[in-house]
Amino acid sequence: MAIPKPSIPKGTRDFNPSQLAKRNYIFDTIKRVFRLYGYQQIETPTMENLSTLMGKYGDEGDKLLFKVLDSGDFTKGVDMTNTNTPKLATQLCGKGLRYDLTVPFARYVVQHQSDIVFPFKRFQIQPVWRADRPQKGRYREFYQCDVDVIGSTSLLHEAELIIIVAEVFKQFGTSVTLKINNRKVLFGIAESIGYADKMVDITVGIDKLDKIGLDAVNEELMGKGLTQEAVNALRPILELSGTNSEKIDQLRTILSASETGQKGLDEMAQIFDYAEKLGVNGMEIEFDLSLARGLSYYTGAIFEVKANDFVIGSISGGGRYDDLTGIFGLTGTSGVGISFGADRIYDVLEGLNLFPAEAGSTTDVVFANFGEAEMCATLPLAQGLRDSGVAAEVYPSNQKIKKQFDYAEAKGATYLVFIGENELVEKVATVKNIVTGSQENVSFTDLSNYFSMIIK
Amino acid sequence: MAIPKPSIPKGTRDFNPSQLAKRNYIFDTIKRVFRLYGYQQIETPTMENLSTLMGKYGDEGDKLLFKVLDSGDFTKGVDMTNTNTPKLATQLCGKGLRYDLTVPFARYVVQHQSDIVFPFKRFQIQPVWRADRPQKGRYREFYQCDVDVIGSTSLLHEAELIIIVAEVFKQFGTSVTLKINNRKVLFGIAESIGYADKMVDITVGIDKLDKIGLDAVNEELMGKGLTQEAVNALRPILELSGTNSEKIDQLRTILSASETGQKGLDEMAQIFDYAEKLGVNGMEIEFDLSLARGLSYYTGAIFEVKANDFVIGSISGGGRYDDLTGIFGLTGTSGVGISFGADRIYDVLEGLNLFPAEAGSTTDVVFANFGEAEMCATLPLAQGLRDSGVAAEVYPSNQKIKKQFDYAEAKGATYLVFIGENELVEKVATVKNIVTGSQENVSFTDLSNYFSMIIK
């Protein structure tokens, strides 16, 4: 019987060496920047108790949780004929796969609160799983990369996260715009036109302005129950323009009656001031009233990052939350965080050809193999290269040189070194640069020096 | 209603910043060495099709697989009253969590064979899951760290892996012994005393020699059906001593009648020769006939690494296999690999106090906060440090200095920098080394130079 070619579950991926090297380049860059600002990495388990996860992502989220069957006799004490399958699932499965990094982080903070010195600046880079319908760019297993500081209300952290974003994308060599808004300002807008309870509808409306135009937005808002008067009052807000500080100045007047709105504007002014003092490395920061972000737990600043030279959704986003850990019984710990979208950043860097060449290569030098005696002479030379930090391989068998050449190329090596019969006698290696095609003779004793000078 | 303090599933772990920094130190060290030898990293999905995993780890292994409930109506077409729960589990669950890295690697090689240039030198560092009973040192989620080369029969790879082991543990600063044996030699021994079919029993017997003594071993073997004559014939093998090459010489004679045994001895001699040419950095390599290793797929050399100065099971192990991918329909691809036990290595380095101090620290310098004006002046200075590669934090609020000091200490920072009213006027910071207690004045303009000289 023929064995069928194996496959992997839909929506999941293997990462081959080249893809993984590029992903690692992304994560390593981000980690390096995080560390410069004193953020510390943690990891949480892949499986959480299902009770930790259920009810945290809405009804739809509950359905999208991957649930892990209990070990042993999972039917024990369970009515297996129960036709309420969501309920039955929770009886068969005590554990589920991590759905995001936010809820496990909140759980971690509450569970380990007595060991944590606050403010707790943490980052976390781990995969998450969602039983979503897979489609282009949407996977059932994907990495999240979150950075948060919890246990401090200082707006310095908002500014720090903005600078981190600027620094990360500067290192990637790609131009981005950080859009920032504030939930308190959004509330102030809703409040000042008399519809504090319709903040979400109004924000959605503002968000559509670019796409459908002012009249259509007004119509939609009136459909949601806003009066003509309220819609008219919204108009100057929708047409707000100018620099960030000009926007703040105009909003000061417009939102003069809203205490919350004024508080939001104070926050924005303070964040811009701190960010300027830290230096934003030329990244554009745009106070964008149409930025809403779906997550209901945000209470202050909200962020989103867009690539300027590549068409794709937001590549990073986050905001301030005042009560993330409340779901686990610890109230009053404000925090702010931002998440980097690794898959989209990958697409941007790939699309703009911004991955450094090294990210794809794993070997610097391959020594060709001309037979047992030659190979044995090669071994200590290859080892000398490694001792100097140069990644080197000895091709393991005496194959046709074409095959060895292809191998070196596939590994991303720049150099193929020939040590044949003549070279062995002369103690001089023939070094071929397989990118340029040029060739040089280098004595055995100079070899590791030669390469360690070229390859850093 | 009080919310119960959250917890995580038994046998799983949170890793706090200090633990994770130490684990990353282990993985980073290992990765750096792997890369010098041209090994490439891959990753495979957390979930595999259950059919990929079932039957690959024996009946016991099938039970220990974590199975993931199908999404949607998982009861559809399933007889839920089936009391054969293992069977029922496979009907409810199409996917399972990765149990080791070996089977997914074999699956990967077969699935992507047309894209792979062989020999394929890969490493993989990912968690695996087993529904084992948790106990001290045994977890339900733990990392494996595997390095393999597949698609080459060259014994150079065995030697390379030995050198990699030597190099890794040299970098960890811990003394280890690599024990090596060969399945062909073990078969040769069994064959030469007339019990080729009892290789495993005989190996287990040899393994117990140290613990229970020669007489008890002989008794046990005769209990397994060996004749007195066979047991007598085994005696010189059990009492074999001397250097590795002396052991090979003696076995040449003892196993003169076994072609397979001679082949195994040829391999051992060749491996030792290659390893010597590559240089083993002082690590002891011991040809140990009592080394068996359980996994039935090994066909040539087998390895195990023991810490010399710390009592713990083997911290690394592996061997040559000739048909790992056969289970997925690709035959004739020989490979050899070794796995590093991250949790045990962690225990060894922790127990011997070998983690470098940096592994636990995440921030170099904390700037104390004496109020808004002082903090604002501090921000560009902190940024200057970061631009020079020094991890710096500004404490976010004007708290009691004791609290700020405790924070700096908890972050593993060496320096606490004071910029108060006076410092602000003089433009000179007070730099306190919180390890030694010494204090220095450094002008604002010299600050980033000062720290980038000290902190590399």
Side-chain angles (χ1 to χ4, degrees):
Chain A
M1 191 184 71
I3 299 168
K5 195 168 176 181
S7 62
I8 52 179
K10 63 178 176 178
T12 71
R13 290 171 286 178
D14 283 325
F15 293 106
N16 71 27
S18 155
Q19 292 161 337
L20 197 64
K22 288 173 180 172
R23 291 174 67 86
N24 283 341
Y25 165 74
I26 292 175
F27 293 134
D28 290 345
T29 304
I30 292 176
K31 278 157 92 163
R32 208 168 46 237
V33 175
F34 286 171
R35 288 209 174 103
L36 283 178
Y37 291 77
Y39 287 83
Q40 305 180 300
Q41 191 173 8
I42 66 162
E43 282 187 8
T44 60
T46 292
M47 292 185 280
E48 292 276 353
N49 291 323
L50 201 53
S51 57
T52 299
L53 303 174
M54 292 288 283
K56 308 305 189 298
Y57 308 103
D59 289 347
E60 193 53 30
D62 283 351
K63 277 188 218 150
L64 299 184
L65 289 170
F66 279 112
K67 298 166 189 80
V68 179
L69 197 67
D70 287 343
S71 312
D73 183 5
F74 53 88
T75 64
K76 202 173 172 184
V78 176
D79 172 13
M80 294 297 287
T81 61
N82 189 341
T83 54
N84 179 346
T85 50
K87 171 91 179 155
L88 181 56
T90 62
Q91 294 172 325
L92 298 173
C93 302
K95 296 177 288 294
L97 301 191
R98 188 168 53 224
Y99 180 89
D100 70 1
L101 302 180
T102 306
V103 168
F105 175 51
R107 193 265 311 145
Y108 179 98
V109 169
V110 177
Q111 189 175 332
H112 303 286
Q113 52 185 290
S114 57
D115 301 324
I116 295 172
V117 177
F118 293 95
F120 183 37
K121 301 168 87 170
R122 88 87 172 76
F123 70 93
Q124 195 169 349
I125 301 176
Q126 292 193 274
V128 300
W129 296 267
R130 298 180 185 178
D132 243 325
R133 187 183 300 274
Q135 56 184 58
K136 189 177 169 345
R138 191 202 281 164
Y139 304 99
R140 293 186 144 194
E141 172 178 58
F142 58 98
Y143 268 79
Q144 287 193 336
C145 174
D146 281 17
V147 56
D148 289 81
V149 48
I150 196 163
S152 165
T153 56
S154 170
L155 298 168
L156 177 58
H157 302 301
E158 274 84 343
E160 227 175 58
L161 291 175
I162 291 173
I163 305 305
I164 284 175
V165 168
E167 187 59 33
V168 162
F169 289 102
K170 186 187 169 198
Q171 295 207 9
F172 287 143
T174 180
S175 165
V176 299
T177 298
L178 182 130
K179 290 171 182 266
I180 180 168
N181 197 0
N182 192 298
R183 279 286 167 91
K184 293 188 183 75
V185 173
L186 288 175
F187 179 82
I189 292 171
E191 194 181 32
S192 69
I193 63 166
Y195 287 93
D197 58 326
K198 293 218 173 345
M199 185 183 96
V200 174
D201 291 332
I202 294 166
T203 310
V204 170
I206 299 174
D207 186 33
K208 288 187 178 167
L209 189 63
D210 275 353
K211 285 168 225 140
I212 63 176
L214 185 62
D215 290 344
V217 166
N218 284 346
E219 204 170 308
E220 225 181 81
L221 288 175
M222 286 167 73
K224 296 280 182 187
L226 267 68
T227 60
Q228 180 70 50
E229 200 188 345
V231 164
N232 289 346
L234 199 59
R235 186 163 180 158
I237 299 169
L238 297 177
E239 291 179 335
L240 211 63
S241 68
T243 65
N244 293 336
S245 65
E246 284 165 1
K247 284 181 187 167
I248 291 176
D249 288 344
Q250 295 167 65
L251 285 164
R252 287 277 183 207
T253 315
I254 299 170
L255 305 183
S256 59
S258 166
E259 202 183 317
T260 305
Q262 294 296 328
K263 176 85 174 57
L265 293 171
D266 290 346
E267 289 182 8
M268 296 298 279
Q270 182 72 84
I271 292 166
F272 289 137
D273 181 49
Y274 285 154
E276 198 185 322
K277 289 204 168 66
L278 289 166
V280 291
N281 274 325
M283 178 181 73
E284 195 192 337
I285 303 178
E286 185 192 338
F287 186 2
D288 181 354
L289 283 176
S290 73
L291 177 64
R293 287 193 71 76
L295 295 167
S296 60
Y297 53 73
Y298 291 127
T299 51
I302 46 181
F303 318 102
E304 241 172 56
V305 180
K306 303 282 265 184
N308 290 337
D309 307 319
F310 195 80
V311 180
I312 200 163
S314 74
I315 52 182
S316 190
R320 162 75 63 176
Y321 42 83
D322 279 339
D323 193 25
L324 197 62
T325 56
I327 44 174
F328 298 116
L330 178 69
T331 53
T333 54
S334 184
V336 56
I338 197 159
S339 182
F340 289 80
D343 285 307
R344 285 188 176 168
I345 293 173
Y346 187 102
D347 289 346
V348 171
L349 300 190
E350 189 80 342
L352 297 174
N353 205 13
L354 287 173
F355 281 113
E358 313 89 79
S361 95
T362 40
T363 292
D364 303 315
V365 178
V366 172
F367 286 85
N369 189 323
F370 291 101
E372 192 63 18
E374 290 85 349
M375 184 182 95
C376 283
T378 300
L379 296 182
L381 297 173
Q383 201 58 26
L385 262 59
R386 293 168 188 143
D387 290 343
S388 315
V390 176
E393 287 187 69
V394 179
Y395 195 83
S397 57
N398 181 8
Q399 300 278 343
K400 284 206 184 87
I401 201 64
K402 169 80 172 76
K403 193 167 180 186
Q404 302 194 40
F405 187 93
D406 289 349
Y407 178 84
E409 225 174 12
K411 294 298 281 280
T414 311
Y415 297 93
L416 186 58
V417 178
F418 302 99
I419 297 178
E421 215 174 319
N422 288 341
E423 283 88 352
L424 204 51
V425 173
E426 309 276 342
K427 298 201 183 306
V428 171
T430 304
V431 175
K432 187 183 178 73
N433 182 318
I434 62 179
V435 180
T436 65
S438 72
Q439 215 160 284
E440 267 194 272
N441 298 323
V442 181
S443 81
F444 286 3
T445 48
D446 290 344
L447 212 52
S448 81
N449 238 339
Y450 175 85
F451 283 114
S452 64
M453 299 289 280
I454 304 176
I455 293 154
K456 37 168 209 272
Chain B
M1 192 183 75
I3 299 167
K5 194 167 175 181
S7 62
I8 51 178
K10 63 177 178 180
T12 70
R13 289 169 287 177
D14 284 324
F15 293 105
N16 70 27
S18 155
Q19 292 161 338
L20 196 65
K22 288 174 180 172
R23 290 174 68 86
N24 283 342
Y25 165 75
I26 292 175
F27 293 135
D28 290 345
T29 304
I30 291 175
K31 278 157 93 162
R32 208 169 46 239
V33 175
F34 286 171
R35 289 210 173 102
L36 283 178
Y37 292 77
Y39 286 82
Q40 304 180 300
Q41 191 174 8
I42 66 161
E43 283 186 8
T44 61
T46 292
M47 292 185 280
E48 292 277 353
N49 291 324
L50 202 53
S51 57
T52 299
L53 304 174
M54 291 288 284
K56 308 304 190 298
Y57 308 104
D59 290 345
E60 193 53 29
D62 282 351
K63 278 187 217 153
L64 299 185
L65 290 170
F66 279 111
K67 297 166 189 83
V68 178
L69 197 68
D70 287 344
S71 312
D73 183 6
F74 52 88
T75 64
K76 204 174 171 182
V78 177
D79 172 13
M80 294 298 287
T81 60
N82 190 339
T83 55
N84 180 348
T85 50
K87 172 89 179 156
L88 181 57
T90 62
Q91 294 172 325
L92 298 173
C93 302
K95 296 178 287 294
L97 301 191
R98 187 168 54 224
Y99 181 90
D100 70 1
L101 302 180
T102 306
V103 168
F105 175 51
R107 192 266 310 146
Y108 178 99
V109 168
V110 177
Q111 189 174 331
H112 303 286
Q113 54 186 289
S114 56
D115 301 323
I116 296 172
V117 177
F118 293 96
F120 183 38
K121 301 168 88 169
R122 90 84 171 79
F123 71 93
Q124 194 169 350
I125 301 177
Q126 291 191 276
V128 301
W129 295 268
R130 297 181 185 178
D132 243 324
R133 188 183 299 273
Q135 57 184 59
K136 189 176 169 344
R138 190 203 282 164
Y139 303 100
R140 292 185 144 195
E141 172 178 59
F142 57 98
Y143 269 79
Q144 287 194 335
C145 174
D146 281 16
V147 56
D148 289 81
V149 50
I150 195 161
S152 165
T153 55
S154 170
L155 298 169
L156 177 58
H157 301 301
E158 274 84 342
E160 227 175 57
L161 291 175
I162 291 172
I163 304 305
I164 285 175
V165 167
E167 187 59 32
V168 162
F169 289 101
K170 186 186 169 201
Q171 295 207 10
F172 287 143
T174 181
S175 165
V176 299
T177 298
L178 182 132
K179 290 173 182 266
I180 182 168
N181 197 1
N182 193 300
R183 278 285 168 90
K184 294 189 181 77
V185 173
L186 288 174
F187 179 83
I189 291 171
E191 192 181 36
S192 69
I193 63 167
Y195 286 94
D197 58 327
K198 292 216 172 349
M199 186 182 93
V200 174
D201 292 331
I202 293 166
T203 309
V204 169
I206 298 175
D207 186 32
K208 289 187 179 168
L209 190 61
D210 276 352
K211 286 167 226 143
I212 62 175
L214 185 61
D215 289 344
V217 167
N218 284 346
E219 203 169 309
E220 225 180 79
L221 287 175
M222 286 167 71
K224 296 280 182 189
L226 265 70
T227 60
Q228 180 69 50
E229 201 186 345
V231 165
N232 289 347
L234 198 57
R235 186 164 181 156
I237 299 169
L238 297 178
E239 292 178 336
L240 210 62
S241 68
T243 65
N244 292 337
S245 66
E246 283 166 0
K247 284 180 187 166
I248 291 176
D249 288 345
Q250 294 167 63
L251 284 165
R252 287 277 183 209
T253 315
I254 299 170
L255 306 183
S256 58
S258 165
E259 201 182 318
T260 306
Q262 293 297 328
K263 177 85 174 58
L265 293 171
D266 290 346
E267 290 181 6
M268 295 298 278
Q270 182 72 85
I271 293 167
F272 290 136
D273 181 47
Y274 286 154
E276 198 186 323
K277 289 205 167 66
L278 290 166
V280 289
N281 274 325
M283 179 182 72
E284 196 191 338
I285 303 178
E286 186 192 337
F287 185 2
D288 181 355
L289 283 177
S290 73
L291 177 65
R293 287 193 71 76
L295 295 167
S296 60
Y297 53 71
Y298 290 127
T299 50
I302 45 181
F303 317 102
E304 242 172 52
V305 181
K306 305 281 266 183
N308 290 338
D309 306 319
F310 195 80
V311 179
I312 201 163
S314 74
I315 51 182
S316 190
R320 163 74 64 178
Y321 43 83
D322 280 339
D323 194 25
L324 197 61
T325 56
I327 43 174
F328 298 114
L330 178 69
T331 52
T333 54
S334 184
V336 57
I338 196 158
S339 182
F340 288 80
D343 285 307
R344 284 187 178 170
I345 293 173
Y346 188 102
D347 289 345
V348 171
L349 299 190
E350 188 81 341
L352 297 174
N353 205 13
L354 288 172
F355 281 112
E358 312 89 80
S361 96
T362 40
T363 293
D364 302 315
V365 178
V366 172
F367 286 85
N369 188 322
F370 291 101
E372 191 63 19
E374 290 85 349
M375 185 183 95
C376 282
T378 300
L379 296 182
L381 298 173
Q383 201 58 27
L385 263 60
R386 293 169 188 142
D387 290 344
S388 315
V390 176
E393 288 186 70
V394 177
Y395 195 83
S397 56
N398 181 8
Q399 300 278 343
K400 285 205 184 88
I401 200 65
K402 168 80 172 76
K403 193 167 180 186
Q404 302 194 39
F405 187 93
D406 289 348
Y407 178 84
E409 223 174 12
K411 294 299 282 281
T414 310
Y415 299 93
L416 186 58
V417 178
F418 302 100
I419 297 178
E421 217 175 319
N422 289 339
E423 283 88 352
L424 204 52
V425 173
E426 310 276 344
K427 297 200 185 305
V428 171
T430 304
V431 174
K432 188 183 177 72
N433 182 317
I434 63 179
V435 179
T436 66
S438 71
Q439 215 160 285
E440 266 193 274
N441 298 322
V442 181
S443 81
F444 286 5
T445 49
D446 289 345
L447 212 53
S448 83
N449 237 338
Y450 175 86
F451 283 115
S452 66
M453 299 289 279
I454 304 176
I455 292 152
K456 37 165 208 272

